[in-house]
Every structure is written in structure tokens, then in C-alpha cells.
Amino acid sequence: MSLRPGVRFGFDEVRQAHVLLQPEGVQVLNETAAAVVRAGGDIAVLREEFDDVEAADILPICAQLDVRPGRTEPEPLKGQPGNPEPMPFGLLAELTYRCPLRCPYCSNSLELGTVELDTATWLRVLDEARALGVLQLHLSGGEPLARKDLSTITRHARDLGLYTNLVTSGIGLSAPRLDELVAAGLDHVQLSIQDSRVAEADAIAGIAAHERKLAIAKLVTDAGLPFSVNVVLHRHNVSRLAEIAQLAIDLGAQRLELAHTQYYGWGLLNRAALMPSREQIALADAAAAEIIAAHRDVEIVYVRPDYYDGVPKPCMNGWGSTQLVVDPGGQVLPCPAATVIPDLSPLSVLSDSLSFIWYHSEPFNRFRGTSWMREPCRSCPRREVDFGGCRCQAFQLTGDAAQTDPACALSPRHEAVTAAIASASPVPFTPRRR
């Protein structure tokens, strides 16, 4: 293979460009980069296509693309050419809100709907998503394995050329079920782990899940699937960050995401119980730096909590810019938490096309770009870096989604964040209801 495991090389008919599809991202390639990938970094092959090519000329591209010896040909991706910009890269398909776990940091809404799109509608949604430019499909929930048609949905996505990422607790994944998903073309599994220790992990999950998750990780690696581990960090496990990371690495994870709790849904309800102290954050920062330095062969992503930074996190890389979400009942959202904004009034795939919703609906255009911004965002040099922060967080903390995210030190409402940090305490949390 000329690319690292879990990466696919294809040609996107929608963008009329070669692309690299991978577990947590998409790279659109220019013709030079595409030629390097096709040639597997072979200078002799490249000299047949380009004049005066030297090894030094392609080293930066090879390093960026992780090209390995051996040629590769692009996989054709179905789609319709000619769509205008901006095009979405990713679709988060929240197939169901059903979940066997009761994690208190769950970002699902406190009021979980029970209506779910049927199989035929999801297949149509995937057709429309691919035609719109989507290249990456995150199969999520709740727990996507609760859907009996998961393999059918996965197979249709692969037939369209979409990169499929199963975001799962693992509960419900047996060897036969995994074989079925692999045969359907599943590209990647992202498994959540709550802690490194059995009792502590099971206490957060709300069921005896930890030992089962370890067995599930072995099933995935034995099947040869690219494998990531996701860990949500909070007051109750952050002191074991290094221990948790080592467990994920020992399980065979090629990618590890250590992300502090995002305070939406159940996470917001349990914020006081989950929020770590500043001392815990400092120790976690040091532990993360050490584990990253010690394991260069594993992609380790450490996501700091923006409550403590004075700089807000980017809002989905810009509201309505690269991603869209379809919830179990068919609502189409710019981000998973957007339903907290009461006047957003999202449209549904049951009544409108994805293309219309993406390009023309008020919910997607309300905070797209920068023209909607007020001061201090409007004149801030970071306005196209963090996009004013998170619109959902701004609403939750101020009651106004157009406000500067209070996580920003320049926000006139920054005290909402500092007060939340000050009020954090080891109080009991409320488990997520099924």
C-alpha cells in the first residue's frame, strides 16, 4: 500500500479533484500531490509525467500525505459535478438516540425524540449528501449499533464512495455483526472508553461495559479495521490521562482523541460535577504533552477545554462551512447541539432537499461567514479563526446566540464562564436517561 492504513485515495466528481479520505478528515489534492500519491513517491514514475523532478521536490508532499512505496489508483466517487461553493465535507448521521450507556457528559438533548427515519429515507439522504459534496460519513447517535439496518446504510455509503466512520460505545458489536459491517465496506471504528479502571469506567457508563469494550477493541483490531479511541475527560478521570492513553495505545488504537467535556445536553446539566479544577487542567496538559512525545507513531489529539483558555473553540470550522448533521427524526442542523437555539427552526429531509437546506435555509445562513458578527468579534483578527466561538454555547450562557462566546476573554459576558469554573464541585451527577 502507498498510504497509511485507513486512508483512501479517490477522485471526487463533485469537486473535480483528487482527494484523500481518512478517519477524521479529508484532503483535497492539487494535480501535483495527486500525481505523487498515484506514483507512490516513485521518482522514476513521476519523471514520466513531469520534467526535472528531484527527490527533494516531493519530500514535503510525501511527508504530508504519508506516502509509502507502491503505486495506488484513485477510487471513483459517485456524485454530480458542478455544485457551487461552499460544499460540505462531512455528514454526521445521528441514526438513533437509543443508547445502552448512561454517561453524564452525553451531549444529546435532555429531551430525546423517539421518531427515527426509515432505511429508505436514510439511503436517499446519503444520495443527496454525496451529490452535495459530502465525502465523509460519521455513523453516530446515541448508539448506531441499535439500528438493525446499519450494514445496509454502510453498504450504500460505500457504494457512493463515502468514507464511513462508526462512532460507537461498542456495546452490541459481536464478531458476526462486525464481519457484516466489514463486508459492507466499513472504513473505520471509533470506540469510546470512559476510564482506564473497571470500576471507575463502569460508574460513568452506568452499566458494566469496560471489560466488554476491551474485548470489542480486540475484535476490531483482529478484523484489521483502522481503529480510534475517543475519551471524554472530566473531573473524575482527568488525573488518569496518561494511564487512559496507555490503555488505548495497548489496545492498538492508531488514533487517540483525549477531549475535555463539551457542555451541552447532559454535559451542561452535570457541568458542576464534571468540570475539573485549574490544577487538574495543568496536570492534564503536562501529561498529554508527555504521552504525545512518547508515542509519535500514534496520532494523539488533545482537546483543551475552552472555558479555561480565554480563546473560544472554532464553531464547526465555521457555521455552515464544512459539516452538517441529520438527527434521528430528519432535522438538518449546522452542528449537533444547534437545537438548543429555540428560534432556529431547522428544516427536515422529509420536506426539503439537503441541497436546499444547505444553501438556502435560514438556519444554515444565519451565522455563516462573518457579516452577522457584533463587536468585539467584528473587528477581531481571529474572526476567521474561531468564528466568534460556539453559537450554541453563546446561547446557553447568555440567552443570545449572536453574542460573542463567553469563553472568549474579550466577551462582555466572560464572567459567565469564570463563574462556572468557580462553582465546580464534586457533587453527584445525573446519569443520562435512555
Side-chain angles (χ1 to χ4, degrees):
M1 296 293 293
S2 61
L3 298 168
R4 60 185 170 84
V7 179
R8 282 170 37 206
F9 178 46
F11 184 78
D12 179 13
E13 291 287 347
V14 179
R15 291 174 177 82
Q16 289 293 292
H18 288 89
V19 293
L20 286 181
L21 310 178
Q22 48 204 315
E24 293 294 335
V26 175
Q27 285 179 274
V28 179
L29 308 179
N30 61 26
E31 282 307 309
T32 303
V36 172
V37 174
R38 280 196 302 268
D42 189 320
I43 288 291
V45 173
L46 287 167
R47 283 174 177 161
E48 296 174 5
E49 189 171 347
F50 300 97
D51 294 330
D52 303 321
V53 177
E54 300 297 335
D57 298 332
I58 67 165
L59 284 176
I61 299 175
C62 289
Q64 182 182 8
L65 303 179
D66 197 15
V67 176
R68 301 180 180 187
R71 300 188 65 175
T72 185
E73 293 300 324
E75 177 180 333
L77 307 178
K78 295 180 181 179
Q80 297 175 355
N83 279 9
E85 295 287 354
M87 297 178 191
F89 284 100
L91 168 63
L92 176 64
E94 294 184 321
L95 300 179
T96 178
Y97 284 142
R98 290 174 284 159
C99 185
L101 305 189
R102 306 186 68 199
C103 304
Y105 52 70
C106 180
S107 61
N108 284 165
S109 171
L110 300 182
E111 299 298 327
L112 298 173
T114 58
V115 176
E116 296 181 6
L117 298 178
D118 61 22
T119 306
T121 304
W122 272 116
L123 301 188
R124 173 177 63 78
V125 167
L126 297 187
D127 289 339
E128 293 183 14
R130 176 76 278 272
L132 188 57
V134 167
L135 293 165
Q136 191 173 53
L137 175 66
H138 303 283
L139 299 161
S140 183
E143 174 48 67
L145 288 165
R147 292 278 304 215
K148 294 181 179 180
D149 57 359
L150 182 60
S151 294
T152 300
I153 292 170
T154 301
R155 181 175 293 105
H156 190 69
R158 184 56 187 256
D159 288 345
L160 293 170
L162 292 168
Y163 191 98
T164 52
N165 175 31
L166 177 63
V167 183
T168 179
S169 70
I171 305 304
L173 186 61
S174 62
R177 189 86 189 274
L178 182 60
D179 289 344
E180 187 179 281
L181 288 167
V182 170
L186 182 67
D187 287 297
H188 175 260
V189 173
Q190 181 188 108
L191 178 70
S192 66
I193 289 180
Q194 280 64 42
D195 208 316
S196 54
R197 302 178 183 179
V198 177
E200 287 84 349
D202 290 348
I204 289 294
I207 64 170
H210 186 69
E211 295 289 358
R212 293 159 71 183
K213 285 172 178 275
L214 303 188
I216 288 157
K218 187 175 188 305
L219 278 180
V220 173
T221 54
D222 285 352
L225 272 176
F227 172 54
S228 296
V229 166
N230 174 63
V231 182
V232 177
L233 300 172
H234 47 81
R235 171 186 288 273
H236 303 279
N237 69 359
V238 69
S239 63
R240 291 184 291 279
L241 184 150
E243 192 177 303
I244 292 168
Q246 190 60 57
L247 172 63
I249 292 164
D250 292 344
L251 289 174
Q254 295 144 334
R255 186 179 189 276
L256 169 62
E257 184 173 314
L258 300 161
H260 284 268
T261 302
Q262 303 290 308
Y263 299 110
Y264 307 107
W266 296 92
L268 181 62
L269 178 69
N270 288 300
R271 184 176 62 183
L274 295 169
M275 186 172 288
S277 67
R278 290 190 183 277
E279 181 183 10
Q280 284 181 309
I281 295 294
L283 292 173
D285 290 348
E290 187 173 326
I291 200 85
I292 290 169
H295 296 279
R296 298 293 186 186
D297 57 331
V298 179
E299 182 185 357
I300 301 176
V301 179
Y302 175 62
V303 183
R304 280 179 52 85
D306 62 354
Y307 270 43
Y308 299 79
D309 278 347
V311 177
K313 61 183 178 292
C315 183
M316 300 290 288
N317 294 309
W319 181 278
S321 172
T322 61
Q323 307 283 330
L324 71 161
V325 180
V326 178
D327 78 5
Q331 289 188 118
V332 186
L333 304 160
C335 77
T339 53
V340 303
I341 303 174
D343 66 341
L344 196 67
S345 301
L347 302 185
S348 171
V349 296
L350 297 175
S351 55
D352 292 284
S353 71
L354 274 189
S355 179
F356 176 83
I357 295 169
W358 175 261
Y359 287 113
H360 304 296
S361 70
E362 192 276 339
F364 272 82
N365 283 291
R366 183 183 296 190
F367 301 116
R368 186 174 267 158
T370 60
S371 62
W372 60 271
M373 291 181 176
R374 305 169 184 168
E375 294 295 350
C377 295
R378 182 179 292 273
S379 57
C380 180
R382 289 181 54 86
R383 66 184 177 277
E384 294 185 356
V385 176
D386 58 36
F387 309 101
C390 176
R391 298 301 89 224
C392 304
Q393 187 160 274
F395 176 80
Q396 289 179 151
L397 297 180
T398 73
D400 182 357
Q403 281 275 0
T404 300
D405 186 340
C408 179
L410 300 177
S411 167
R413 301 291 300 276
H414 186 56
E415 78 283 352
V417 165
T418 56
I421 295 171
S423 67
S425 61
V427 297
F429 53 72
T430 301
R432 177 197 192 271
R433 292 193 301 272
R434 293 181 179 85

